[in-house]
Amino acid sequence: MTQSTLIQQSAQLIQQADALLITAGAGMGIDSGLPDFRGQNGFWRAFPPLAHLGKRFVDMATPELFHDNPKLAWGFYGWRLNAYRNVVAHQGFHLLKQWADQKPHGAFVFTSNVDGQFQKAGFAEHRVLECHGSIHYLQCSQPCHHDIWSANEFVPQVNEQLCELENAPPICPKCQEIARPNILMFSDGQWLSHRTRQQEQQLEQWLYHAGNVVIIELGAGTAVPSVRLFSEHTARWLNAPLIRINPDEPQVMGNQNIALPMGALDALLAIEQAMK
């Protein structure tokens, strides 16, 4: 089947749907100019100082680093926080929002991304599930209590040559220990998950009333398969078609499912053109 035929079929499925379940992995952010962490070389291209230090992503994305080397930990996460605050969500986000607004039950987003781009593009906070948490929220690194609070008041000043925080890190207002992002890290027994659990409940309630759902999966790979597994499980549970958009790993099982070997923005623009 040709790619143009698959695009046309995707457009028809989306037009006929009552609701869109949008699932997104790291590949969704690349078209906005965010770095691609895939593979060790990709990570070190994004953060050259860490290549000199021999630090891998799994070394940086760990709760222990906030105790062992808080300047380095917040250098890394502060750099990302600044980047995510400044990023402009690409046109694909806005096309998805436009399509959702035309549906009786709108859309719900399930994403492993912690950058908040869907909210920037206008998706309501109560219609987004961030399964790995969000960099825009903080928690105690101990944690001494279960509160989660906004990171808006913290403005990181990062020495990008050293990947180190230069100003004071955020602290827990109760125990005065260092705060950390409310993000699920590797080997993370300290992550406070109740914000994400509440989002899961909101998604379950939405799915109960959503009717004829189409799942659009964007940029979700197999290295961290959270999004792919959720998409496949939900497609089987709802007997809903899954449109998997991925330039490198588009494979998907099932007769009603569609595999588009394309980047997220290119695919969404092509589907929009087919709708017209």
Side-chain angles (χ1 to χ4, degrees):
M1 196 174 294
T2 66
Q3 186 164 290
S4 61
T5 301
L6 293 172
I7 290 168
Q8 188 64 51
Q9 289 181 351
S10 300
Q12 290 172 352
L13 285 172
I14 292 168
Q15 286 178 312
Q16 294 165 3
D18 296 325
L20 304 178
L21 177 58
I22 300 160
T23 65
M28 183 61 178
I30 292 173
D31 293 306
S32 297
L34 294 177
D36 180 5
F37 291 172
R38 286 179 299 179
Q40 196 55 61
N41 289 332
F43 178 63
W44 283 339
R45 278 195 301 270
F47 299 99
L50 300 181
H52 301 311
L53 294 172
K55 296 287 188 182
R56 304 165 299 161
F57 182 68
V58 294
D59 300 321
M60 300 301 297
T62 172
E64 284 77 17
L65 193 63
F66 286 89
H67 303 289
D68 299 340
N69 193 337
K71 287 177 66 176
L72 183 63
W74 265 117
F76 174 59
Y77 279 99
W79 187 97
R80 292 177 66 188
L81 178 58
N82 289 335
Y84 297 159
R85 282 173 173 169
N86 294 330
V87 72
V88 177
H90 64 72
Q91 188 180 352
F93 286 94
H94 299 283
L95 285 175
L96 290 168
K97 180 64 168 57
Q98 177 183 312
W99 301 344
D101 288 344
Q102 298 167 1
K103 303 300 177 188
H105 298 286
F108 209 108
V109 175
F110 179 100
T111 182
S112 60
N113 299 333
V114 300
D115 52 35
Q117 280 197 86
F118 280 99
Q119 291 92 327
K120 273 194 170 188
F123 285 86
E125 190 75 37
H126 69 280
R127 290 287 183 92
V128 180
L129 195 169
E130 294 153 308
C131 67
H132 293 168
S134 170
I135 201 168
H136 302 289
Y137 289 85
L138 300 173
Q139 65 165 82
C140 177
S141 61
Q142 297 302 309
C144 74
H145 60 97
H146 290 281
D147 291 350
I148 296 169
W149 66 96
S150 171
N152 286 348
E153 294 184 6
F154 175 52
V155 181
Q157 297 171 19
V158 179
N159 182 327
E160 296 189 10
Q161 302 303 313
L162 300 175
C163 195
E164 288 187 351
L165 185 72
E166 294 187 325
N167 59 332
I171 60 171
C172 171
K174 296 194 176 180
C175 72
Q176 307 304 307
E177 291 288 340
I178 191 168
R180 50 161 277 193
N182 181 233
I183 292 174
L184 177 62
M185 303 179 191
F186 293 102
S187 303
D188 193 352
Q190 289 82 49
W191 181 52
L192 298 177
S193 62
H194 53 272
R195 179 173 175 270
T196 296
R197 300 288 87 80
Q198 182 181 16
Q199 293 173 336
E200 288 176 352
Q201 293 174 1
Q202 291 166 339
L203 173 58
E204 289 174 7
Q205 293 170 3
W206 179 83
L207 283 172
Y208 184 78
H209 299 285
N212 176 28
V213 175
V214 168
I215 303 169
I216 308 173
E217 181 191 282
L218 304 125
T222 57
V224 181
S226 312
V227 174
R228 286 174 79 98
L229 294 175
F230 171 79
S231 299
E232 293 166 1
H233 169 77
T234 308
R236 290 192 297 269
W237 175 49
L238 297 177
N239 191 27
L242 166 60
I243 303 168
R244 171 164 284 160
I245 298 169
N246 191 304
D248 303 314
E249 299 176 299
Q251 302 82 3
V252 63
M253 301 292 289
N255 293 332
Q256 67 177 342
N257 300 328
I258 295 174
L260 278 178
M262 304 174 70
L265 178 57
D266 287 343
L268 295 172
L269 288 171
I271 292 170
E272 170 71 6
Q273 188 60 39
M275 288 180 178
K276 294 177 179 178

